[in-house]
Amino acid sequence: METSLVFFPQLNMCESKEKTFFKLIHGSGKEETSKEAKIRAKEKRNRLSLLVQKPEFHEETHSSKSGHLAKETRVSPEEAVIWGESFDKLLSHKDGLETFTRFLKTEFSEENIEFWIACEDFKKSKDPQQIILKAKAIYEKFIRNDAPQEVNLDFHTKEVITKNITQPTLHTFDAAQSRVYQLMEQDSYTRFLKSDIYLDLREGRPQRPTNLRRRSRSFTCTEFQDVKSDVAIWL
């Protein structure tokens, strides 16, 4: 009996020491594990981004509603033909703008049209405070280095905007908007006219589900307090 009374407390002490040691081991590794986890997560996102672009990925996920968009429109073939006459006519038509945006999402370049729309809204601003806040919103979203939706601009254009962003005018983004417009017109628009999205509309065929990546958060000037936008949601 005496032996058992001595033996069990010793076991409890050993067990307590083991638990303490286990906690210390895990506690000391938290910082390192956290860094490794971030690196692995970044690598995983990069792999997933490449995977989404592969045709076989879209075939395997054809039944997934989250990865597709089959939007019904009332666009007539005649209207679609007009879109093919010029890029300006495409963007000036509400359904044309929406359809082109849907196409850009399949090419992972919707930031271009979102930036163009943001600039169009910005130029309608009248209140000086609104101009400052909207300009800041556009700069943070599309212009600054490593912006969430950074558009492709030459160094000079970006530098001029950066220098003047503290005292913006309605023309602050004119050069950048013109540059992005030209890029879309000469590059994306040409491919759009050859895409199934456009050809199905022009020929009056039923629209097919469109493979899309995760929908990016649409830019709204209301992200900043007291900023009023002429459109509640850009896209």
Side-chain angles (χ1 to χ4, degrees):
M1 291 295 292
E2 291 181 358
T3 302
S4 62
L5 289 173
V6 175
F7 180 71
F8 285 110
Q10 288 177 343
L11 282 179
N12 290 336
M13 288 176 63
C14 291
E15 184 180 358
S16 177
K17 289 180 180 180
E18 287 177 359
K19 287 182 179 180
T20 302
F21 179 75
F22 180 82
K23 290 180 180 179
L24 289 173
I25 290 296
H26 280 263
S28 62
K30 278 184 179 179
E31 191 174 346
E32 184 176 350
T33 303
S34 177
K35 292 180 180 178
E36 293 176 351
K38 289 181 179 179
I39 294 174
R40 287 197 299 270
K42 184 176 181 181
E43 293 175 346
K44 183 177 180 181
R45 286 195 299 271
N46 292 336
R47 288 196 298 270
L48 287 174
S49 179
L50 293 174
L51 178 62
V52 171
Q53 301 178 53
K54 295 183 178 181
E56 57 268 27
F57 173 84
H58 298 307
E59 291 174 4
E60 292 173 1
T61 59
H62 185 74
S63 60
S64 174
K65 292 183 180 179
S66 61
H68 298 79
L69 174 63
K71 183 178 180 180
E72 294 183 2
T73 64
R74 298 179 181 178
V75 178
S76 67
E78 292 76 19
E79 288 176 316
V81 169
I82 294 176
W83 299 351
E85 294 178 358
S86 72
F87 187 47
D88 184 62
K89 289 183 178 180
L90 171 68
L91 297 188
S92 63
H93 193 282
K94 180 181 178 181
D95 289 329
L97 178 60
E98 290 181 354
T99 304
F100 183 63
T101 299
R102 193 152 57 93
F103 168 74
L104 290 182
K105 287 178 182 291
T106 68
E107 292 205 328
F108 304 88
S109 59
E110 68 267 28
E111 68 276 1
N112 291 324
I113 195 64
E114 288 188 9
F115 172 68
W116 184 86
I117 295 173
C119 290
E120 287 295 289
D121 177 76
F122 173 73
K123 289 186 292 187
K124 299 175 185 177
S125 304
K126 296 180 180 180
D127 180 71
Q129 187 65 16
Q130 292 293 307
I131 292 174
I132 293 174
L133 293 177
K134 284 185 178 182
K136 179 182 177 182
I138 292 174
Y139 178 79
E140 291 294 326
K141 186 74 175 182
F142 301 105
I143 306 296
R144 70 173 175 81
N145 293 330
D146 298 322
Q149 296 284 82
E150 185 178 3
V151 293
N152 186 14
L153 298 173
D154 60 273
F155 174 78
H156 176 71
T157 301
K158 181 176 289 191
E159 184 180 37
V160 171
I161 294 175
T162 301
K163 288 182 178 179
N164 298 326
I165 195 62
T166 55
Q167 295 180 320
T169 69
L170 294 180
H171 303 289
T172 294
F173 301 106
D174 283 358
Q177 185 184 16
S178 177
R179 171 62 177 164
V180 170
Y181 181 95
Q182 291 174 2
L183 287 174
M184 291 191 294
E185 182 179 32
Q186 297 171 6
D187 188 28
S188 302
Y189 177 58
T190 301
R191 289 195 301 276
F192 169 75
L193 296 178
K194 299 177 182 178
S195 70
D196 290 335
I197 291 177
Y198 173 70
L199 294 177
D200 286 347
L201 287 173
R202 195 184 70 177
E203 300 301 325
R205 296 191 294 259
Q207 293 188 57
R208 315 173 198 185
T210 305
N211 294 307
L212 300 178
R213 69 166 173 168
R214 176 182 59 81
R215 190 171 189 270
S216 62
R217 182 168 60 88
S218 299
F219 172 80
T220 63
C221 282
T222 53
E223 290 174 353
F224 292 84
Q225 187 177 4
D226 299 327
V227 177
K228 297 179 181 178
S229 174
D230 294 325
V231 287
I233 298 177
W234 296 94
L235 299 173

